[in-house]
Amino acid sequence: MLQRLFGKPPDPAEQARQWRLKLRQEDRALDRQIRAITVEEQKITRSVREAAKKNEPQVVRILATELVRSRKAKSRIYTTKAQINSVALQLEQTRAQIKVVGAIQQNAEIMATMNRLVNVTEVRETMQALSKEMMKAGLIEEMVSDAMESLDDDDLEEETDAEVAKVIDEVLGSKLIDARVGDSKLPQAHAQEQEEPIVDEDDEALEARFNQLKG
């Protein structure tokens, strides 16, 4: 009678399988975001070098800051991917348990990870929907929003001068020796310890212009 009124209850093992499929879809979407960020980073890197050649220190700093931010975003996405894969693995183990006990049992580890994932901007919508399904199925308890860890962009640390300087060194280091943002000139100690390199006119011009960055 009840089945005719409310329909057949969902199969727990099938539910777990469907959740894993949704997680895999989100994981692939994150991979696409990482590839897009990497392509953009390559463009910014080229722009940094061009700006240095044109003696545009402010532009170099702005672009280097964008590189720092994009790398932080990519690092956050990798962390999210690891958390998603952790939940997917736990769900596979849950499916195995369902075959033994015949029902879904609460999983504290999945709940803890979902608590974090529901606040990640890139996957928030899907994770909130999945969490509701998992709560309804009895896999996790109702989550308390006050205890959730926010990973939004507004909560990321501000880019420090050291981080920006490190990126500029990395991008332009192949042309410069021990250059640091804020130095009025390039240190010469390290250069004296090595065999003097052959520098063409373009390299000399780039070095002279970079000496002015954050001088």
Side-chain angles (χ1 to χ4, degrees), residues 58-123:
Q58 292 296 332
V59 175
V60 169
R61 282 179 241 159
I62 292 172
L63 292 172
T65 300
E66 286 301 313
L67 273 178
V68 172
R69 290 174 179 170
S70 69
R71 290 178 181 184
K72 286 183 177 181
K74 192 156 64 172
S75 176
R76 186 183 64 207
I77 293 175
Y78 276 119
T79 298
T80 300
K81 279 173 56 64
Q83 292 170 343
I84 286 177
N85 289 328
S86 174
V87 174
L89 179 60
Q90 289 293 318
L91 285 174
E92 185 61 27
Q93 295 174 357
T94 296
R95 288 185 66 196
Q97 293 173 353
I98 291 172
K99 294 178 180 179
V100 176
V101 300
I104 288 181
Q105 296 179 331
Q106 284 189 3
N107 188 304
E109 186 171 347
I110 290 179
M111 179 176 174
T113 306
M114 293 299 293
N115 271 337
R116 293 188 288 270
L117 287 171
V118 293
N119 280 278
V120 178
T121 303
E122 291 82 359
V123 297

Side-chain angles (χ1 to χ4, degrees), residues 54-190:
K54 295 177 182 178
N55 193 23
E56 297 175 337
Q58 292 296 332
V59 175
V60 169
R61 282 179 241 159
I62 292 172
L63 292 172
T65 300
E66 286 301 313
L67 273 178
V68 172
R69 290 174 179 170
S70 69
R71 290 178 181 184
K72 286 183 177 181
K74 192 156 64 172
S75 176
R76 186 183 64 207
I77 293 175
Y78 276 119
T79 298
T80 300
K81 279 173 56 64
Q83 292 170 343
I84 286 177
N85 289 328
S86 174
V87 174
L89 179 60
Q90 289 293 318
L91 285 174
E92 185 61 27
Q93 295 174 357
T94 296
R95 288 185 66 196
Q97 293 173 353
I98 291 172
K99 294 178 180 179
V100 176
V101 300
I104 288 181
Q105 296 179 331
Q106 284 189 3
N107 188 304
E109 186 171 347
I110 290 179
M111 179 176 174
T113 306
M114 293 299 293
N115 271 337
R116 293 188 288 270
L117 287 171
V118 293
N119 280 278
V120 178
T121 303
E122 291 82 359
V123 297
R124 175 180 293 152
E125 184 176 349
T126 299
M127 294 304 143
Q128 287 179 343
L130 280 177
S131 295
K132 291 179 181 179
E133 293 179 12
M134 291 176 180
M135 283 187 285
K136 186 176 180 180
L139 180 63
I140 62 176
E141 296 178 350
E142 185 175 358
M143 293 179 287
V144 181
S145 59
D146 290 342
M148 293 179 180
E149 177 184 354
S150 176
L151 295 176
D152 286 339
D153 292 338
D154 293 340
D155 295 324
L156 293 176
E157 296 180 2
E158 292 184 1
E159 292 71 30
T160 66
D161 289 340
E163 287 175 315
V164 175
K166 182 178 179 181
V167 167
I168 293 177
D169 281 350
E170 178 184 325
V171 174
L172 302 177
S174 61
K175 296 289 186 183
L176 303 169
I177 301 174
D178 284 349
R180 295 293 184 271
V181 174
D183 288 350
S184 59
K185 62 180 181 179
L186 293 173
Q188 298 300 317
H190 182 62

